[in-house]
Every structure is written in C-alpha cells, then in structure tokens.
Amino acid sequence: MSQFPSALEFVMGALEQIRDRGEKLPRASRTSLVELRSVRPAQSRTERALVRQSSGGDASPSLQGTDKAALLAAIQTRVAVCTKCPHLARTRTQTVFGVGNPDAELMFIGEAPGADEDRRGEPFVGRAGQLLTKIIETIGFRRDEVYIANVLKCRPDMPPGNSGNRPPTPLEMQTCLPYLAEQIGIIQPKVLVALGATAVEGLLGTRGVMRELRGKWNSHQNTPLMITYHPSYLLRNQAPSEKRKVWEDMLQVLERLDRPITEKQRNYFR
Ligand code: URA
C-alpha cells in the first residue's frame, strides 16, 4: 500500500496527458474498478488527503508536516514529467518545483526559474535568490523555515544563443497555476508574498503598476497576500528608498504573523 500515492500519481499523470491531447475519455474495466475499490479501505490519512486534494478540495487542516511533505512529493513527481507546455518541456533542464518547509507559515512566490534555477532545480538560487535569502534572514527566518515557489515551474524558453530571461506568458501561467494552487492548498501558509508584477498577474489575474500594488494586502485562496518588489528589481535599482519599501512590506508581514519586531528591525532603514 505504501506505493499507492505514487501509483495514483502515475495514473493521474497519464489521464491528464490523455485529456490534454484531446483523446477519447479513458475507460476502466469492471475488474479494474473492483480492484481499485478493494484498496480504498486501507488508504492512509495521507493517501485520503491526496485524493481529496487532487479532486480540488483543500488539504485537511489537521495535516502534519510529514503528511504535507508526502503530498508535495507526489505533486512534484507529476510536475517533473509535465508536458502541458511542450515548448518549455523541450527546452528546460528540469522542472523547478519549490523548496522549504512543507508546514511553513510564510510562502514567497516568484515568477519563473532563471538559468541558475533551471540548472540547480531549486527556485531563487541565483543573484536575486541570494538577495531574497538575505531578506528572509533579516526578518528572522531561515530560508528552510519558509517555502519558496514560482508561478511557473519551467524556465521560459529563449531563442538559441540568447541567455537572457523572458517573463512567462499569460497562457503559460494559466497552464501551470494549478500546481501552485495545490502547493498552497497543502502548505496552508498564514501569509503569501508575491514577488513582482508577474507573480501578481499569475496569482490575482491583474496586471498593474508595482508602485501602486506593493505594500497592500490582497487575498489568494483565502490567504492574505502581500505584494512587494521582486529582488531582481532591487538589484537593478539600488536606491535605498526602494530597499526601504520592501522592508516596510516585510514589517507588515511580520505584524500579520504576530512575530515580534525588534527595535533594530523597525529602524533598519530609518
Ligand atoms: N526569479 C524568479 O522569479 N524565480 C526564481 O526562481 C528566480 C528568479
């Protein structure tokens, strides 16, 4: 029975591919249905939550970290073989699922893996990632205490010979978003932080000007969502005024999490 979650993931992946290709609805024989029914009573709590999760329900609020880790691992397996965007599946080195504490109270969401992340298979490990890690540590968390993911799990493809980045298209984001929704549904963080305008567009479906969007609370999947600048913006624009804005946004996050704020933190950019 311990193989049940991965077997289920395998079946779900195959069914999704059949549906995406517009092929006929798959049919199951009476014998398979009877066999499937016979394994149900023995499902563990994690497996039942996995089935609930995959049918669009929220993960049980009583899920523990290990259960959440198992659920996330099952989705990660599905993401790793995803070919919903064939052009991205062809050009990626690997998918970049997410990293951190499956039970995190704070979750950061960026736009898409860059070249470094595509190579390493982990979000935010390049220059922008190092700055994000610094921000996380300055607000009093370790990087492995929070959860970090992107709207898109594949590096957006670039023309041959071009090593730059491009933002994901609305269709790419729409296609990939269900995976992020599942991650959020399992982790159930107390606060989400959207990094930059593309992450906001993916999460809220609205395109806006960051100057107006940042520093404000929104809501996504019934979770408070703070919008702030993407760390790569801070790398491009080194003005202390911009760093201070991100810091003010992070102080709002700490307040929302009921985390103590030291005098030093409060006056960091004063
Ligand atoms: N920028 C992002 O939005 N995500 C990453 O993982 C890296 C850079």
Side-chain angles (χ1 to χ4, degrees):
M1 280 309 298
S2 61
Q3 293 96 338
F4 188 77
S6 50
L8 183 63
E9 283 307 300
F10 180 79
V11 172
M12 280 167 49
L15 293 177
E16 274 182 6
Q17 283 185 9
I18 291 170
R19 193 187 52 204
D20 291 346
R21 288 198 297 260
E23 291 171 9
K24 275 200 294 186
L25 280 181
R27 298 170 64 171
S29 70
R30 274 180 207 289
T31 324
S32 345
L33 288 177
V34 168
E35 278 171 4
L36 273 176
R37 240 175 244 126
S38 71
V39 296
R40 266 174 62 199
Q43 281 177 26
S44 71
R45 200 156 58 95
T46 306
E47 290 160 355
R48 283 197 302 278
L50 175 61
V51 174
R52 255 202 319 281
Q53 187 65 33
S54 63
S55 63
D58 269 351
S60 156
S62 62
L63 273 180
Q64 302 297 306
T66 45
D67 292 342
K68 291 184 177 187
L71 292 170
L72 289 171
I75 303 165
Q76 186 165 7
T77 306
R78 224 174 338 125
V79 168
V81 295
C82 179
T83 55
K84 288 181 186 181
C85 304
H87 58 296
L88 301 185
R90 254 196 320 274
T91 51
R92 72 186 179 217
T93 304
Q94 57 194 314
T95 53
V96 178
F97 181 66
V99 71
N101 177 4
D103 222 6
E105 54 180 26
L106 179 56
M107 179 166 173
F108 290 86
I109 300 168
E111 59 179 63
D116 293 319
E117 290 76 20
D118 174 71
R119 214 174 301 120
R120 298 254 308 265
E122 180 173 331
F124 283 99
V125 290
R127 279 185 69 222
Q130 285 158 22
L131 180 52
L132 177 63
T133 303
K134 216 186 247 175
I135 293 170
I136 290 168
E137 288 171 353
T138 315
I139 59 172
F141 288 88
R142 291 192 319 268
R143 182 177 157 103
D144 63 4
E145 281 181 304
V146 303
Y147 198 89
I148 306 172
N150 284 309
V151 172
L152 211 68
K153 310 301 187 212
C154 291
R155 172 165 158 72
D157 57 337
M158 293 297 288
N162 188 329
S163 61
N165 293 318
R166 69 160 174 85
T169 66
L171 178 60
E172 288 166 347
M173 290 199 278
Q174 198 187 319
T175 306
C176 207
L177 209 54
Y179 293 132
L180 180 63
E182 287 188 77
Q183 288 174 292
I184 297 170
I186 290 166
I187 296 167
Q188 297 182 317
K190 287 191 191 146
V191 168
L192 294 165
V193 176
L195 301 165
T198 310
V200 173
E201 188 182 348
L203 290 168
L204 300 180
T206 49
R207 262 213 88 73
V209 184
M210 276 307 288
R211 204 172 347 102
E212 288 157 15
L213 293 173
R214 66 141 283 272
K216 302 201 175 92
W217 286 106
N218 287 262
S219 173
H220 178 79
Q221 291 180 229
N222 291 322
T223 309
L225 169 74
M226 170 54 65
I227 298 174
T228 196
Y229 286 124
H230 194 286
S232 59
Y233 169 78
L234 294 183
L235 291 174
R236 285 194 308 273
N237 186 340
Q238 303 265 346
S241 61
E242 302 311 282
K243 284 193 196 130
R244 185 178 313 130
K245 284 175 193 157
V246 171
W247 188 244
E248 281 163 6
D249 303 343
M250 293 303 103
L251 290 180
Q252 286 202 63
V253 166
L254 288 180
E255 272 162 12
R256 192 76 179 224
L257 290 172
D258 281 328
R259 300 274 291 206
I261 302 177
T262 64
E263 271 312 288
K264 186 172 167 212
Q265 282 173 320
R266 209 169 274 291
N267 297 318
Y268 212 71
F269 280 99
R270 294 242 164 94

